[in-house]
Amino acid sequence: YRIVSGHGDGPAHGQGELRVSAGAEPAEMDLDAVRADLDDAVLDAEAIYARFAAAGIDYGPAMRALVGLRTGRDRDGRPHALAELAMPTCWQGEAAAQMLHPCLLDAAFQATLGLMPAQVDAPPGGLALPFALDRLVVYGPLPSRLWA
């Protein structure tokens, strides 16, 4: 697919390849074990979105699905983040009709704030967010409350 402006001759805003396959099941994750490793910082939604606002990114209520964020390092010393996501109430009726709601996907990107410790206290204009994916696997419809 390719998403462009105008009548197909404008700049590309997104492009990719979609493949549909069946049979794969997600691996089970022990959330208690993950939480035990993540004790560097625990931020609630108010603190998270205040940090984004200070960096010049103002998420409106419809895009505030990040409820909480825990950061730390795994047993191998790599930075990790665990985010609790919840669909904002304005999308509740629509969410069930979508396999992967854009608000939840964006909130998972927002959670990358916790992967680089310096970003948690980034100065205005110093925040980095992902803008590309190499691969995304969707196993099924997402619930309205989940962990990423």
Side-chain angles (χ1 to χ4, degrees):
Y1 71 88
R2 184 173 164 86
I3 301 169
V4 298
S5 294
H7 298 285
D9 57 351
H13 301 287
Q15 61 188 16
E17 181 179 327
L18 176 67
R19 295 184 196 163
V20 178
S21 61
E25 289 291 322
E28 288 286 324
M29 180 178 273
D30 182 351
L31 285 175
D32 290 332
V34 173
R35 282 187 202 103
D37 288 338
L38 304 177
D39 58 4
D40 286 355
V42 178
L43 302 171
D44 64 12
E46 185 175 321
I48 293 164
Y49 289 109
R51 291 176 197 268
F52 280 124
I57 302 172
D58 187 21
Y59 288 101
M63 296 304 287
R64 291 184 176 215
L66 195 50
V67 175
L69 180 64
R70 299 176 74 91
T71 66
R73 297 194 173 270
D74 69 6
R75 291 185 174 110
D76 296 322
R78 296 174 297 203
H80 270 205
L82 179 65
E84 183 178 5
L85 311 180
M87 185 70 73
T89 55
C90 63
W91 296 116
Q92 291 293 329
E94 182 182 317
Q98 297 195 28
M99 181 76 72
L100 176 61
H101 196 281
C103 179
L104 292 176
L105 180 59
D106 192 73
F109 287 146
Q110 294 170 24
T112 63
L113 172 75
L115 292 177
M116 293 176 269
Q119 289 214 128
V120 173
D121 294 313
L127 189 63
L129 291 172
F131 62 90
L133 285 177
D134 186 47
R135 182 177 181 190
L136 172 67
V137 178
V138 180
Y139 294 103
L142 296 177
S144 61
R145 192 167 197 94
L146 62 134
W147 295 90

